[in-house]
Amino acid sequence: MSENNTSVQGAAIKTKTRNIGFLLLNNFTMIALASAVEPLRMANQLSGRELYNWHTISEDGEQVMASDGIRITPDSSMADAPALDTIIVVGGVNITRNYSRRQVSWLQSLARKHILIGGVCTGPYLLAEAGLLDGYDCSAHWECIASLQEAYPKVRCTNHLFVIDRDRMTSSGGTVPLDMMLNMIKRDFGYQLTAGISEMFICDRVRNESDYQRIPLRHVLGTTQPKLVEAVALMEANIEEAIELDELASYVGLSRRQLERLFQKYLQCSPSKYYLKLRLFRARQLLKQTSMSIIEIAAACGFVSTPHFSKCYREHIGIPPREERSGMRSQDRSQTVTPLVTTALPGLNQKAGTAANALAMHALSEAQFEPTYGSVTLQ
């Protein structure tokens, strides 16, 4: 084939419209969907060409409710979906209870067609359930990383913001899908288009695959206390077999007293108490997002016995692990939530029901199964 013919063929491939489908799971997060779709819209706008088509898809073609209570009417059902070059699963709240076997089977059938398959927010969890991430590097929202890794050990979970690994594309939540899609667009059509999209969205920097998810601690401390951040990172990486405090201090180049002072000054607790909180938070994730037994969870989180785990959990979380697993909440909490939402939404139409029917109440009710539910104390 001549060089000219090759160039023409390459140009034709470059201008082929890509069809991208978004499979919306129940309680998907709207921000993740918008962050993934908007770069495609802007790519078309800036290029003046139909580079991308996008389609929203649900299991049966019926409306899907987002985690904020807003309902989306999809373009098609899975059965009626158009031919796709890419499918992206949009997950959100309570991922382990918001997918079906039909969705798993459909994704497996698409994988046999060798198309690009992705997931955003907690969507990668469904890809892992379908066996589509075995042997792949994977990113997901930090809230479900632990349960995903425990349930699917063949998946190589990372704390990167997003990962594009061969024909798989996975991303954490929030605005990160924007960065992932910009990197995809850059790969498809070059830097100039990506730079233009970034300018339109007032995006100062396009994050890439080398960027990590920021854990809450880093949001607070930034880069001002690298030794403390390093110590916490070591704790997070050693949940099952805890590091002794003297050894931890040695790893980060501090004395034990210096490390204790850092924790007291910036985290208002001792290193051992903070370590315990990390282990309990991991346990809470596993209780809510996996089918592991309480005995297995206790061992995976570094507790010497199940009774000791249960005692610590009750003291610090407020309810025993078995009650947490069943999704129950104390009477005090349930009595607090409803008046709070009723007060916040005073103008509800009484004919439409009480505050329990409001979007905010629905979103709060669904979120109660998340590990972070009620984790921030209001002063």
Side-chain angles (χ1 to χ4, degrees), residues 211-237:
D211 286 292
Y212 288 86
Q213 295 186 58
R214 286 178 174 268
I215 62 173
L217 174 65
R218 291 173 184 163
H219 276 299
V220 175
L221 299 179
T223 59
T224 61
Q225 295 299 325
K227 296 289 186 181
L228 182 55
V229 170
E230 184 181 356
V232 171
L234 284 169
M235 289 178 173
E236 292 173 333

Side-chain angles (χ1 to χ4, degrees), residues 52-295:
Y52 296 98
N53 283 329
W54 53 90
H55 316 269
T56 53
I57 302 166
S58 71
E59 180 175 353
D60 51 12
E62 298 297 320
Q63 287 186 338
V64 185
M65 184 178 288
S67 58
D68 56 14
I70 296 175
R71 294 181 181 274
I72 296 293
T73 300
D75 298 313
S76 71
S77 66
M78 296 187 306
D80 298 327
L84 299 170
D85 299 297
T86 302
I87 182 69
I88 296 175
V89 178
V90 186
V93 171
N94 205 6
I95 181 63
T96 58
R97 295 175 175 86
N98 278 313
Y99 66 85
S100 69
R101 298 314 306 175
R102 282 183 61 200
Q103 290 168 330
V104 170
S105 298
W106 186 65
L107 290 171
Q108 291 169 336
S109 70
L110 291 180
R112 291 191 286 272
K113 298 178 181 178
H114 305 290
I115 70 172
L116 180 62
I117 299 179
V120 296
C121 194
T122 59
Y125 194 98
L126 182 53
L127 303 189
E129 171 65 21
L132 304 182
L133 291 179
D134 290 354
Y136 284 86
D137 289 339
C138 163
S139 173
H141 192 283
W142 59 265
E143 195 173 45
C144 78
I145 280 286
S147 57
L148 196 156
Q149 187 68 86
E150 288 285 348
Y152 309 104
K154 293 182 181 179
V155 180
R156 298 195 296 264
C157 291
T158 76
N159 199 35
H160 289 277
L161 288 175
F162 66 90
V163 173
I164 301 177
D165 185 359
R166 293 162 286 170
D167 53 353
R168 298 292 182 267
M169 185 165 65
T170 52
S171 163
S172 54
T175 61
V176 173
L178 169 66
D179 298 280
M180 182 179 76
M181 300 304 278
L182 285 173
N183 278 267
M184 183 193 76
I185 293 168
K186 179 181 177 181
R187 181 190 62 187
D188 289 345
F189 296 105
Y191 171 78
Q192 186 175 0
L193 180 57
T194 302
I197 297 170
S198 300
E199 289 175 1
M200 290 295 293
F201 290 154
I202 318 176
C203 180
D204 294 333
R205 182 177 78 90
V206 179
R207 296 170 289 186
N208 58 43
E209 291 180 79
S210 65
D211 286 292
Y212 288 86
Q213 295 186 58
R214 286 178 174 268
I215 62 173
L217 174 65
R218 291 173 184 163
H219 276 299
V220 175
L221 299 179
T223 59
T224 61
Q225 295 299 325
K227 296 289 186 181
L228 182 55
V229 170
E230 184 181 356
V232 171
L234 284 169
M235 289 178 173
E236 292 173 333
N238 293 273
I239 296 292
E240 187 169 354
E241 296 184 10
I243 306 175
E244 294 294 332
L245 185 54
D246 287 333
E247 189 177 7
L248 181 65
S250 176
Y251 281 145
V252 299
L254 297 173
S255 69
R256 177 171 177 151
R257 290 287 300 277
Q258 288 174 319
L259 188 63
E260 288 175 336
R261 283 197 292 268
L262 275 180
F263 271 84
Q264 287 292 349
K265 181 176 181 179
Y266 292 101
L267 301 176
Q268 293 77 51
C269 68
S270 66
S272 59
K273 185 174 182 180
Y274 190 86
Y275 211 162
L276 177 61
K277 288 180 179 179
L278 286 178
R279 291 159 58 208
L280 289 172
F281 181 76
R282 176 67 58 82
R284 197 178 194 191
Q285 288 180 302
L286 298 178
L287 280 166
K288 288 173 169 291
Q289 298 176 344
T290 75
S291 59
M292 294 172 65
S293 70
I294 291 177
I295 294 175

